[in-house]
Structures are given as C-alpha cells and as structure tokens.
Amino acid sequence: MTSSLELRKSRPHRFDPALQGHRLTVAYRGTEFSGWQRQTAKRTVQECLETALEKIWGQKISLQGSGRTDTGVHALGQVASFNAPRLHNAVVLQRALNANLPHDVRVVKCRLVSPAFHARFDAVGKTYRYLIWNRLVQDPFTLDTHWHVPRPLDLPAMRRAARLLLGKHDFASFTSNPGYERESKVRTMRRASITRDGSVLVFHFTADGFLYRMVRNLVGGLVKVGLGKITVDDFGKILRARSRSEAPATAPACGLYLVDVKYPR
C-alpha cells in the first residue's frame, strides 16, 4: 500500500491532451490473484484489465491503479485510469470490459474524465476494511474472505487502542519493508473504528495515505490487545516507538478490502 502522499510528491504526471481520460472503479476477489500489479508469469488484476482493454482497442494500453494490493487482498472500490482515443461512451465501455474480464474482477463504474486525471497521483485518501470471523468454528464460506480468530476478543479494549491511532502520527511501527526508501512514515488517520456484526468484527481505517501492509499490521496489533496479550498502554508505546520490531505480527491478507479512494472534488 504505497502512500498517495508520496506518489503525488515524487513523480510528475505527463499526459497527451489529445487523448480521452478514462476512470474505472474496480471490484475484485483477490484470492486467486498475485496482487494488483502486473508481474511476469503471474495472474494479476492489472494484467486482466489491460488484456481486456487491448481486446477492445486493438492495441496495448497502460493502466494505472490508485495503489497496489497484495496477493489475496480484495477490493470493492479500487480506482484505475488510462488515456486512449475515444471509442465508447462510459456505459458501453463498462459493458464491454466486463464481457472480457474473468468472473472474479468487475468494473463497477466507468467515467470519461480529463486526460490529466491520474488514479495514483491525484488520490488524497483511502478507506480500508478488515473482517475477522470471531467464533470458535469458522463458516467455511468465509475461508478466503475473513481472518479466523476463534478466541473471544475484548472489543472495548480494542476500541480504546484504535482511538490512539487517530490524528497525525509516525506509523513506522506498523509498516513492513516495501523494498524501497520512503520519504516519510507520517500519516493522518481520520477514522479507526471497530464494530461487531454477529460473528464478524469489522475494522475501518481512513487516512490520507497508507504505508506498506500498514492496515494488516494495525489489525495484528489490535487483536493482540483483544486477546489480552498486550495492554492498551502497550499498544500506545508500540506506536510511539516507531520501530517495526516492537509490533506484533501481520494479520493475514484474506480479511483486507480496499473500500474507497478519495479525490479532490
């Protein structure tokens, strides 16, 4: 999960004003994908979408996503953009893309936009959801969509810990090494909530940007609070330590969903 802040600052966006801009909102079940980004000899969401675009336009078209999602991570509102000669209106293009996409990825919205629009560089915030199946026995239909935590969790304690995340913080303790240097690990968290819906715990995180595996690391820490392995004060100390070595293990990918990407109006 590369920060939208870093992307906006680090790279200029060049575009051809003679081309039509296209903005797609994409949903996918990440179970059988090796993440979003195209990779050699691996099935990815970007590769499936670009293959569909090539069938429609008869030429290769480069597609940009709002950010990468890892293997097994799902999306309800991933945003992608591309520029190409105008060929179809939005409704016809959405129908054509879905006719050429596999069953586990769908374009849920299509818009014709300015060619200056860029799904990554223009993003100003994102919302992620994480789902935990919190009962002794897991519903088999949730095996690839929820993390199974069979032991009871202390929801009030987890909520108190989650409130410590609100505001502007250095989240170095809750990011994994992405393999490249980052300008800053400071992010502003606008929402960090946990609700229970029957057997399911639902986490929501909204921020101006997210670091690599940040949400999964946050959930891993909050679950340790819920299990009584660490206290709320311990969780706060981990946040302030700004060291990944101080934090609990990462939560599994299967429970994570990219819900929404925010752009300036």
Side-chain angles (χ1 to χ4, degrees), residues 1 161 164-165 169-177 182 185 187 189 205 210-225 230 232 234-250:
M1 291 177 286
L164 300 177
L165 301 172
H169 301 283
D170 185 324
F171 284 95
S173 294
F174 294 102
T175 180
S176 302
N177 184 0
R182 288 166 295 203
K185 300 180 183 71
R187 302 291 181 265
M189 186 76 70
F205 300 93
F210 287 88
L211 299 159
Y212 181 55
R213 293 189 176 175
M214 178 172 155
V215 174
R216 291 167 59 190
N217 292 333
L218 289 171
V219 172
L222 291 168
V223 166
K224 289 295 184 183
V225 173
I230 62 174
V232 175
D234 291 335
F235 186 84
K237 291 175 183 177
I238 291 170
L239 174 63
R240 294 189 295 274
R242 295 178 291 179
S243 172
R244 178 63 192 142
S245 63
E246 300 292 324
T250 306

Side-chain angles (χ1 to χ4, degrees), residues 4-32:
S4 58
L5 288 174
E6 289 177 328
L7 288 167
R8 292 202 306 277
K9 291 177 180 177
S10 62
R11 296 167 65 182
H13 172 36
R14 298 182 177 88
F15 62 92
D16 184 347
L19 298 178
Q20 174 66 60
H22 299 76
R23 171 175 165 173
L24 308 178
T25 303
V26 185
Y28 49 88
R29 183 185 176 96
T31 307
E32 296 182 11

Side-chain angles (χ1 to χ4, degrees), residues 33-50:
F33 286 108
S34 296
W36 164 268
Q37 187 178 27
R38 179 186 285 273
Q39 303 174 57
T40 303
K42 290 187 177 181
R43 184 174 187 259
T44 68
V45 181
Q46 183 182 19
E47 179 266 333
C48 287
L49 284 163
E50 289 182 346

Side-chain angles (χ1 to χ4, degrees), residues 4-263:
S4 58
L5 288 174
E6 289 177 328
L7 288 167
R8 292 202 306 277
K9 291 177 180 177
S10 62
R11 296 167 65 182
H13 172 36
R14 298 182 177 88
F15 62 92
D16 184 347
L19 298 178
Q20 174 66 60
H22 299 76
R23 171 175 165 173
L24 308 178
T25 303
V26 185
Y28 49 88
R29 183 185 176 96
T31 307
E32 296 182 11
F33 286 108
S34 296
W36 164 268
Q37 187 178 27
R38 179 186 285 273
Q39 303 174 57
T40 303
K42 290 187 177 181
R43 184 174 187 259
T44 68
V45 181
Q46 183 182 19
E47 179 266 333
C48 287
L49 284 163
E50 289 182 346
T51 298
L53 291 172
E54 185 174 356
K55 288 180 180 178
I56 295 169
W57 263 268
Q59 65 185 62
K60 291 187 179 297
I61 293 175
S62 178
L63 181 78
Q64 300 295 333
S66 68
R68 304 172 187 178
T69 52
D70 290 339
T71 299
V73 174
H74 317 288
L76 304 176
Q78 170 72 287
V79 175
S81 63
F82 66 94
N83 292 340
R86 181 159 182 166
L87 187 63
H88 298 301
N89 66 36
V91 174
V92 172
L93 178 57
Q94 180 184 8
R95 188 182 305 125
L97 282 168
N98 285 329
N100 286 282
L101 286 169
H103 66 281
D104 47 359
V105 55
R106 281 290 173 268
V107 175
V108 296
K109 185 182 294 184
C110 178
R111 290 175 56 190
L112 302 184
V113 295
S114 163
F117 174 77
H118 196 287
R120 285 190 297 169
F121 301 155
D122 294 339
V124 296
K126 292 180 181 177
T127 296
Y128 283 89
R129 176 189 301 166
Y130 196 95
L131 301 180
I132 288 179
W133 187 269
N134 187 216
R135 284 289 185 270
L136 180 62
V137 178
Q138 185 172 14
D139 180 344
F141 293 100
T142 67
L143 289 175
D144 298 321
T145 58
H146 297 60
W147 177 19
H148 182 211
V149 179
R151 291 179 55 190
L153 292 170
D154 184 344
L155 185 55
M158 294 170 70
R159 285 173 171 161
R160 290 196 300 274
R163 285 196 290 271
L164 300 177
L165 301 172
L166 296 174
K168 190 174 183 178
H169 301 283
D170 185 324
F171 284 95
S173 294
F174 294 102
T175 180
S176 302
N177 184 0
Y180 56 85
E181 190 63 29
R182 288 166 295 203
E183 181 179 332
S184 172
K185 300 180 183 71
V186 175
R187 302 291 181 265
T188 300
M189 186 76 70
R190 301 189 181 101
R191 179 185 181 187
S193 66
I194 311 170
T195 59
R196 177 176 284 280
D197 183 8
S199 300
V200 181
L201 288 186
V202 184
F203 298 70
H204 279 104
F205 300 93
T206 299
D208 58 355
F210 287 88
L211 299 159
Y212 181 55
R213 293 189 176 175
M214 178 172 155
V215 174
R216 291 167 59 190
N217 292 333
L218 289 171
V219 172
L222 291 168
V223 166
K224 289 295 184 183
V225 173
L227 292 172
K229 299 291 183 66
I230 62 174
T231 66
V232 175
D233 286 343
D234 291 335
F235 186 84
K237 291 175 183 177
I238 291 170
L239 174 63
R240 294 189 295 274
R242 295 178 291 179
S243 172
R244 178 63 192 142
S245 63
E246 300 292 324
T250 306
C254 62
L256 183 60
Y257 299 73
L258 172 57
V259 175
D260 185 44
V261 185
K262 297 293 185 186
Y263 295 93

